[in-house]
Amino acid sequence: MPEPTRIPMSRRRWIAAWVVLCAAGLAATAALNASSTPDQRSGVDEKPVSAECAEYIADVERRLAEARQGGEDDGVLAFSRTSAGAEDCSDELRDHFGADR
């Protein structure tokens, strides 16, 4: 039985082929990520924020600024609402500060 014909390929060619494939994959990934990133401040789909939520967001921003100035910015801050009848502003907070962070 005859042996199948093999096409010899040096190691340099294999490495070059892998480098080209990896570079093409990285370029395609970067292009896809850039094209799928929504405009954060487009204003088109933003719905109005209630006065209570706007006040709460301003309070959170103030506390974050104080933590940064005080050198306490370790990346984790927790806030809680004490009012039983307080409006749920979790969606507004997520929209304001960016859900992808």
Side-chain angles (χ1 to χ4, degrees), residues 13-91:
R13 287 185 182 171
W14 277 110
I15 292 171
W18 275 110
V19 168
V20 169
L21 287 174
C22 289
L26 289 172
T29 301
L32 287 172
N33 285 339
S35 68
S36 65
T37 302
D39 186 15
Q40 294 291 335
R41 302 288 178 192
S42 65
V44 175
D45 293 336
E46 292 181 16
K47 53 186 172 185
V49 178
S50 70
E52 184 179 353
C53 288
E55 183 179 323
Y56 184 60
I57 290 171
D59 184 47
V60 169
E61 286 183 338
R62 181 186 55 78
R63 290 183 188 190
L64 286 170
E66 287 175 359
R68 286 185 185 121
Q69 288 176 352
E72 301 170 15
D73 187 18
D74 61 355
V76 178
L77 286 175
F79 301 102
S80 64
R81 305 276 309 255
T82 56
S83 302
E87 183 179 346
D88 180 23
C89 298
S90 60
D91 291 337

